[in-house]
Amino acid sequence: MSQSYETVLLDRRGRVAVITINRPEKRNALNIQTRAEGAAILDELRADDSVRVVIITGAGDKAFIAGADIAEFADRTAISQREIMLERGLFNAVDTFPKPIIAMVNGYCLGGGCEVALACDIRVASETASFGQPEINLGIIPGGGGTQRLPRLVGEGKAMEMILTGEILDAQTAFNLGLVNHVVPADQLEIKTMEIANRIAEKSPIALRLAKEAIKLASRSNLDEGLRREVDLFALCFSSADKDEGVTAFLEKRKPEFKGK
Ligand code: COA
């Protein structure tokens, strides 16, 4: 059974769960409560076998997430800020989430919001979305993984420019950089994102999990280690009933029905 949350909403649509960051009056800025609730909801969905794919989005039509709640920075000391950031937070919960997780970017995707999107596996943006790491304008730097994940996704030079200038990019520019997978008209955003999510949700949850693990290794290990681990994870698929089902269904010319076993 779902716990109740105040700043995030959870909507289950068959095998797909949609998490909505729900502080539209603050452009869905992430305060301590939102980050804790977001992480808790992901823990809940991690353990729920009926959920195979998760989508994260923001409430309203203006923002995905406009970053960390800047008001909370006002009285923080270096020590208190560090302690908060070292707790297992939302960025880590997204990054380590074992099921596919898609950012459905419906507006401002800035600072910590861009970092949440970067920690997701796939990013789908509305034409009205915008992207940036504007922390430099506050005299600080990205602290939710932006300095590490952004260069891995778009290359060091482009990441340098975004982070050092704090420039906000429109969705098409973000697409051209490889920051987002798709850009669609605002009224198509949910349709496109659900289409991708439902397509993934039909696959073997075990194979999806192992594929994610292998792909994430690509930017976190050297090539030899990554290739070695890929072989192990590939072989691990052979212990699943889903592998038998997938191969049998192909040979019998029918659609497979994966059970996640
Ligand atoms: N933290 C705290 N509050 C935020 C916020 C954030 N990151 N982003 C927006 N808000 C609040 C505003 O303070 C305002 O609150 P108020 O109505 O109580 O005054 C409300 O959300 C609406 O913001 P507003 O600026 O009026 O909306 P807008 O649509 O004109 O502009 C943004 C939206 C996102 C461009 C603008 O709010 C902004 O630049 N936000 C900060 C982005 C940022 O620097 N993020 C990185 C943080 S490390």
Side-chain angles (χ1 to χ4, degrees), residues 90-188:
L90 181 58
F91 305 109
N92 190 256
V94 173
D95 184 48
T96 57
F97 193 67
K99 307 175 193 187
I101 180 160
I102 304 175
M104 182 164 80
V105 184
N106 53 314
Y108 293 116
C109 181
L110 305 177
C114 194
E115 291 171 302
V116 167
L118 286 168
C120 289
D121 301 318
I122 293 172
R123 286 152 290 279
V124 184
S126 144
E127 281 170 353
T128 55
S130 55
F131 295 79
Q133 297 287 167
E135 291 87 346
I136 204 84
N137 298 325
L138 301 171
I140 57 175
I141 69 171
T147 66
Q148 303 305 302
R149 292 194 185 99
L150 188 59
R152 281 169 166 80
L153 196 60
V154 305
E156 188 177 289
K158 299 290 183 192
M160 279 284 185
E161 190 173 342
M162 278 181 72
I163 292 171
L164 302 187
T165 65
E167 188 188 357
I168 309 298
L169 309 177
D170 62 29
Q172 190 56 48
T173 307
F175 175 79
N176 295 342
L177 288 183
L179 182 45
V180 298
N181 298 59
H182 302 275
V183 179
V184 294
D187 63 357
Q188 296 294 308

Side-chain angles (χ1 to χ4, degrees), residues 25-27 29 62 66-71 73 108 110-111 134-135 138 140:
E25 72 292 349
K26 293 289 178 192
R27 304 295 180 261
K62 291 205 167 71
D69 190 322
I70 299 170
F73 287 160
Y108 293 116
L110 305 177
E135 291 87 346
L138 301 171
I140 57 175

